[in-house]
Amino acid sequence: MGGQEVKPPRGILVAHRTQYAAYLGLGAVILALVSLADQTPFRRFLGSLDPRLVVVAVLLVNAAALGYLLTTGAFSIYRRTGYRGWLLFAALAGGFGAVVIAADAIIIFPRETNVFFPQSLLFYPVMAMLVEAAWHGVPMSLLVLLLSRFRGVNIRRSSWFLVPLVALTDPVFQVIDMVAVTPWGATLFVGVHVYLINLVEMILFRGHSFIAAFAFRLFYYLIWHVIWGYVRLTVLF
């Protein structure tokens, strides 16, 4: 009858005030960026929806998802990170960035892959948050909630088995978007490359914090979409 229930402790807002404060601060920055950004690049992903309203909705839903995950004791929104941690996130992102830049020299991805600088500085942090929330934070919370219904399940241990599963959401979406219009070799590369990126992010999310995963993606976007994006749009096209 019923499974393991994860019940929030009393005063959870107080107990996790640093966690929520970090998320609130990050959310405020993202809202400011999307308000300043040109709305046109978002239409490729959001259609006619107002990006500002989408960001507000996603941030709120993700706040609830992360709040639930906090109650399990297995996840964090924010965890103090020394400079070595940030260097590690940047180095990991740099490795993936180097691989995709090398691939771009061979495949030459479409021009619309990147947003022009300086709008890219506003666009990509917003997209990084939308991806982390919609493809990682919310799905993980739903799967953990499902697991918690089974009696005797250890959420701390079992949630690790969800990491490779949740990492599939983003690459599957990208492959579906590409498969009909892109050569199979490029599609295969993107599928594998993006899955490995998401796998690293999910390991960081489960093992460190949501903001660590977000930071890793932001570093990757800075290398691939902002810096190399400026170079490739100037040189290749």
Side-chain angles (χ1 to χ4, degrees):
M1 290 180 58
Q4 174 185 329
E5 295 186 6
V6 180
K7 298 180 179 180
R10 280 187 175 183
I12 186 172
L13 289 176
V14 175
H16 297 298
R17 59 183 176 272
T18 302
Q19 305 277 320
Y20 289 115
Y23 184 76
L24 181 62
L26 180 58
V29 171
I30 297 301
L31 283 173
L33 293 177
V34 74
S35 298
L36 294 171
D38 179 4
Q39 308 299 294
T40 304
F42 292 99
R43 290 176 188 159
R44 178 185 171 193
F45 304 96
L46 305 179
S48 60
L49 296 174
D50 187 329
R52 293 161 293 192
L53 296 179
V54 171
V55 167
V56 170
V58 170
L59 285 173
L60 289 174
V61 172
N62 192 50
L66 294 178
Y68 169 71
L69 290 174
L70 279 178
T71 68
T72 68
F75 293 84
S76 298
I77 297 175
Y78 164 80
R79 187 178 295 177
R80 190 180 297 277
T81 306
Y83 74 92
R84 290 183 180 177
W86 296 112
L87 286 176
L88 174 61
F89 303 156
L92 288 170
F96 282 106
V99 169
V100 74
I101 288 170
D104 189 34
I106 300 170
I107 298 171
I108 306 183
F109 292 106
R111 180 175 183 173
E112 60 270 19
T113 299
N114 307 98
V115 171
F116 278 98
F117 182 89
Q119 276 300 315
S120 56
L121 293 172
L122 303 175
F123 176 77
Y124 287 109
V126 175
M127 290 306 299
M129 174 56 75
L130 292 181
V131 169
E132 289 307 313
W135 292 146
H136 295 164
V138 174
M140 178 59 85
S141 69
L142 293 175
L143 290 174
V144 169
L145 179 62
L146 179 63
L147 273 182
S148 72
R149 311 319 297 169
F150 294 92
R151 185 182 297 278
V153 171
N154 185 310
I155 296 299
R156 286 178 179 271
R157 183 173 63 248
S158 299
S159 57
W160 277 108
F161 294 102
L162 299 176
V163 164
L165 178 61
V166 178
L168 279 169
T169 52
D170 184 21
V172 166
F173 173 80
Q174 293 206 35
V175 166
I176 291 173
D177 187 53
M178 294 177 62
V179 70
V181 295
T182 307
W184 70 268
T187 302
L188 178 62
F189 167 78
V190 169
V192 173
H193 183 73
V194 173
Y195 177 71
L196 292 175
I197 288 172
N198 280 266
L199 184 60
V200 170
E201 285 179 295
M202 287 308 303
I203 291 171
L204 290 174
F205 180 19
R206 173 58 187 86
H208 193 280
S209 65
F210 175 81
I211 288 180
F214 171 80
F216 167 78
R217 180 172 286 268
L218 200 57
F219 282 130
Y220 176 74
Y221 280 177
L222 176 63
I223 296 164
W224 163 231
H225 284 300
V226 178
I227 298 174
W228 179 247
Y230 175 79
V231 173
R232 73 189 302 270
L233 290 176
T234 303
V235 175
L236 298 181
F237 298 96

